[in-house]
Amino acid sequence: MTSANLQRAMLLHCKPYRENSFIGDFLCEQSGRVSVFFRKSKKGTSLSLFNLYLVSLKQGQNELFFVNSYELDKSFDNLHGHFLYSGMYVNELLSHLLPRVEFEHSLFELYQLTIANLVDIQQQAEAQAAISLAVLLRNFELSLIDELGLMPDFLHSADEQTKIDANKSYYFVADTGWVSKPVLQTPIVCSGQLIHKIAQRDFSNKDDLAQTKQLMRYWLDQLLGHKKLKSRALFIQPKK
């Protein structure tokens, strides 16, 4: 395959369309999130989630692109258990929140690095892996929101425009930010000290990490319009 018109891409999701063909979404380094149509190769192989590919796309009707050719660049499709579910969760967030427009190159790099880190964390001891996984997901969620231009000020209160005081408590409003006075529409209350730590991505304390998870769960629920994510249900499957 020649290098002309090739770009790096990773498959976010796909479903069978007709015999030996599929429709899905790519996250592409240059084209952003695009809907694609592709067929199995002559060797019977097909595109897999999480892998990094070099692809050549051709514009079809409306917003659909045809995958002219593809080759595997890096393999990340050996995730399993909670690491697999986490990868699916990351893919779902991108599929629901990322518009079908060109975007900053840094977002593609964020996604690729997150998947690569999932593979690395999978090799850690169980206790350490659980902590590393939680930190990775919180960092991805915050970085995604920042890339989408939806990150509020973590240094000043939105209502009083004063610096966040580490010794005070603040209430989180998804479309506003941190406010100093109680509001009915939010269940999230955090100390100024925790808000500072989140801004610095300091998740060294387990209690802070647990509180940040609650914040992100509420925040993303607001951004998703209360849409339920299928991947979340996988984490709470009963053990056999």
Side-chain angles (χ1 to χ4, degrees), residues 105-142:
H105 173 77
S106 55
L107 183 51
F108 180 85
E109 295 299 333
L110 168 66
Y111 174 62
Q112 181 193 348
L113 182 60
T114 299
I115 297 302
N117 283 338
L118 276 176
V119 175
D120 291 339
I121 292 172
Q122 189 172 241
Q123 308 305 316
Q124 296 178 0
E126 185 175 354
Q128 181 57 50
I131 296 173
S132 299
L133 179 59
V135 172
L136 178 67
L137 292 179
R138 300 300 81 79
N139 276 317
F140 174 79
E141 292 162 347
L142 288 164

Side-chain angles (χ1 to χ4, degrees), residues 5-219:
N5 300 319
L6 291 181
Q7 60 177 310
R8 297 188 299 166
M10 301 178 77
L11 187 65
L12 296 179
H13 71 84
C14 71
K15 59 182 179 180
Y17 178 62
R18 291 176 180 170
E19 186 177 1
N20 295 325
S21 62
F22 303 84
I23 287 179
D25 270 12
F26 262 150
L27 184 62
C28 301
E29 184 176 26
Q30 299 169 15
S31 304
R33 183 170 73 94
V34 296
S35 293
V36 295
F37 172 88
F38 61 94
R39 299 180 184 276
K40 286 185 178 180
S41 69
K42 294 180 179 179
K43 297 180 180 179
T45 60
S46 184
L47 295 161
S48 297
L49 296 179
F50 312 125
N51 285 341
L52 178 64
Y53 294 94
L54 295 174
V55 303
S56 173
L57 302 179
K58 179 182 179 181
Q59 176 77 57
Q61 293 183 344
N62 300 319
E63 297 180 339
L64 185 67
F65 286 77
F66 294 94
V67 180
N68 280 338
S69 57
Y70 60 88
E71 64 180 32
L72 180 65
D73 188 26
K74 291 182 180 179
S75 176
F76 299 119
D77 63 354
N78 61 338
L79 296 172
H80 54 78
H82 279 198
F83 306 98
L84 173 61
Y85 306 155
S86 296
M88 296 171 69
Y89 169 70
V90 167
N91 283 10
E92 269 198 288
L93 286 182
L94 288 170
S95 295
H96 290 309
L97 294 177
L98 186 62
R100 295 182 186 277
V101 294
E102 293 188 9
F103 63 102
E104 294 295 328
H105 173 77
S106 55
L107 183 51
F108 180 85
E109 295 299 333
L110 168 66
Y111 174 62
Q112 181 193 348
L113 182 60
T114 299
I115 297 302
N117 283 338
L118 276 176
V119 175
D120 291 339
I121 292 172
Q122 189 172 241
Q123 308 305 316
Q124 296 178 0
E126 185 175 354
Q128 181 57 50
I131 296 173
S132 299
L133 179 59
V135 172
L136 178 67
L137 292 179
R138 300 300 81 79
N139 276 317
F140 174 79
E141 292 162 347
L142 288 164
S143 295
L144 175 59
I145 290 172
D146 193 23
E147 289 283 354
L148 294 173
L150 301 174
M151 181 68 72
D153 192 347
F154 270 62
L155 300 179
H156 301 85
S157 63
D159 54 347
E160 297 181 346
Q161 295 301 311
T162 56
K163 288 185 178 180
I164 297 290
D165 187 333
N167 298 314
K168 293 183 178 180
S169 295
Y170 296 85
Y171 304 82
F172 183 75
V173 182
D175 58 356
T176 303
W178 297 100
V179 297
S180 56
K181 297 178 181 179
V183 287
L184 294 176
Q185 63 266 39
T186 178
I188 302 298
V189 184
C190 294
S191 68
Q193 183 181 36
L194 176 58
I195 296 170
H196 287 160
K197 287 185 176 182
I198 295 173
Q200 297 165 3
R201 307 294 180 91
D202 177 2
F203 302 124
S204 55
N205 182 282
K206 290 184 178 180
D207 290 337
D208 292 342
L209 187 57
Q211 279 190 268
T212 305
K213 180 178 180 178
Q214 293 178 350
L215 164 66
M216 299 311 301
R217 183 71 177 262
Y218 170 79
W219 192 356

